[in-house]
Amino acid sequence: MHEIITIVTTAGRPDELSMALAAFACKELGAPFEARNKRSIRKMSQELQAHVIVAGKHRYDYYAYGAQEPFFFHPNSAAFRLKRVARGEREPFLEAAQLQQGDTVLDCTLGLAADAMLAAYAVGATGHVVGLEANANVAFIVKQGMESYDTSELPLTACMRQIEVVQKEAVHYLQALPDQSFDVVYMDPMFEETIEEANNFQALRQAGEHMTLTNQWVMEAKRVARKRVVLKAYFRSEWFAHYHFQQYKRATAKFHYGVLELGST
């Protein structure tokens, strides 16, 4: 089987801006440019056996090879979750992470960055949030999306701009860090079970890397975290008990958070 490459193209009728955005994507990803020549994205992907990144006028779309829908950045659930927090309502992720102003957070599985944005809000301008994404194309889409997404909503904009995106596989990144480098390490692997209600994550599921929790991952996370390690998983997951996470159960939720406390806050 041929290796699946990544190519960059434009919308059907590109303007100067989309051509410039395409050139930028080619440079950042080391990917070749391919003119549309009136071809559909699906046809180009099949002909060239390639993932396709489309530079549009307002955003990048990523069509993973064989995917039915594009992956693109959108603040998604982060916007209304931040509004709830600002109103003083409960936020299960923040209750599990117990973040304080000035904390440092390592999100090992950035995805669409919703939890990282909540973390950025909680730690404030004096804190720091690093988000890891193993897939280079997904990392590019999310990083560029957070840097350029046009919104006047605060604190959403500030939270997006505050996150440092690193294209790296989680265990490899953790292995290179000194002990107790971050206050909190957060892990949200792709669920072992598919949650049907989470339709907005299907494009990410097709585009992103599928990782499972391992002994090495948990061991490295415990070494790097000063205060706690937080895990998000399917509510029936055996990971909570197997790795001795305190499971925060929620009666109506299909996923739960688990916490390993490592030190005083």
Side-chain angles (χ1 to χ4, degrees):
M1 182 177 178
H2 296 292
E3 180 184 357
I4 306 298
I5 64 169
T6 296
I7 63 170
V8 178
T9 191
T10 61
R13 296 182 178 179
D15 58 10
E16 289 185 9
L17 176 58
S18 57
M19 290 299 295
L21 290 172
F24 176 76
C26 290
K27 180 181 177 182
E28 290 293 300
L29 294 167
F33 177 77
E34 187 76 24
R36 283 292 292 273
N37 294 331
K38 298 183 179 181
R39 291 173 293 178
S40 69
I41 299 301
R42 179 175 293 185
K43 184 175 182 180
M44 292 179 69
S45 180
Q46 291 295 329
E47 282 182 357
L48 300 169
Q49 297 284 287
H51 306 302
V52 183
I53 288 181
V54 181
K57 295 180 180 180
H58 304 293
R59 73 183 192 201
Y60 291 101
D61 284 352
Y62 171 40
Y63 292 80
Y65 180 75
Q68 299 302 309
E69 300 293 334
F71 172 72
F72 58 92
F73 175 77
H74 189 280
N76 208 342
S77 63
F80 65 80
R81 289 170 69 190
L82 278 168
K83 288 178 181 178
R84 289 203 310 244
V85 172
R87 291 195 299 264
E89 297 180 24
R90 291 183 59 196
E91 168 49 51
F93 166 68
L94 293 181
E95 289 180 348
Q98 298 179 44
L99 297 173
Q100 299 176 355
Q101 290 277 318
D103 275 352
T104 54
V105 181
L106 177 63
D107 184 343
C108 292
T109 44
L110 183 63
L112 281 163
D115 290 325
M117 288 183 229
L118 268 290
Y121 176 80
V123 304
T126 58
H128 187 51
V129 179
V130 175
L132 306 181
E133 175 52 56
N135 184 288
N137 294 336
V138 172
F140 174 80
I141 295 292
V142 175
K143 183 175 187 294
Q144 297 308 312
M146 288 197 295
E147 289 180 357
S148 62
Y149 191 84
D150 185 15
T151 176
S152 58
E153 293 186 55
L154 291 172
L156 180 62
T157 303
C159 293
M160 285 193 291
R161 306 294 194 261
Q162 190 177 333
I163 299 165
E164 178 186 352
V165 179
V166 176
Q167 193 269 301
K168 197 82 171 179
E169 190 273 331
V171 175
H172 291 161
Y173 188 82
L174 286 163
Q175 287 174 325
L177 293 174
D179 294 355
Q180 298 188 335
S181 302
F182 285 84
D183 290 304
V184 176
V185 175
Y186 175 54
M187 306 180 294
D188 176 12
M190 290 285 188
F191 296 132
E192 315 101 297
E193 301 286 338
T194 299
I195 300 176
E196 292 182 1
E197 295 94 313
N199 293 325
N200 54 327
F201 290 105
Q202 290 308 308
L204 175 60
R205 185 180 291 276
Q206 290 181 312
E209 301 294 325
H210 289 246
M211 299 186 296
T212 189
L213 203 62
T214 63
N215 292 335
Q216 187 178 28
W217 193 354
V218 175
M219 179 184 69
E220 291 293 344
K222 289 167 66 177
R223 180 184 64 79
V224 168
R226 276 189 292 269
K227 295 180 179 179
R228 63 190 58 85
V229 178
V230 180
L231 170 69
K232 180 180 178 181
Y234 184 61
F235 76 105
R236 289 184 181 144
S237 175
E238 296 180 356
W239 289 340
F240 296 112
H242 182 75
Y243 294 110
H244 308 292
F245 281 86
Q246 178 187 351
Q247 185 174 354
Y248 285 54
K249 296 183 179 180
R250 298 186 292 147
T252 60
K254 292 290 183 70
F255 61 85
H256 289 168
Y257 294 98
V259 178
L260 287 174
E261 292 287 354
L262 302 174
S264 62
T265 58

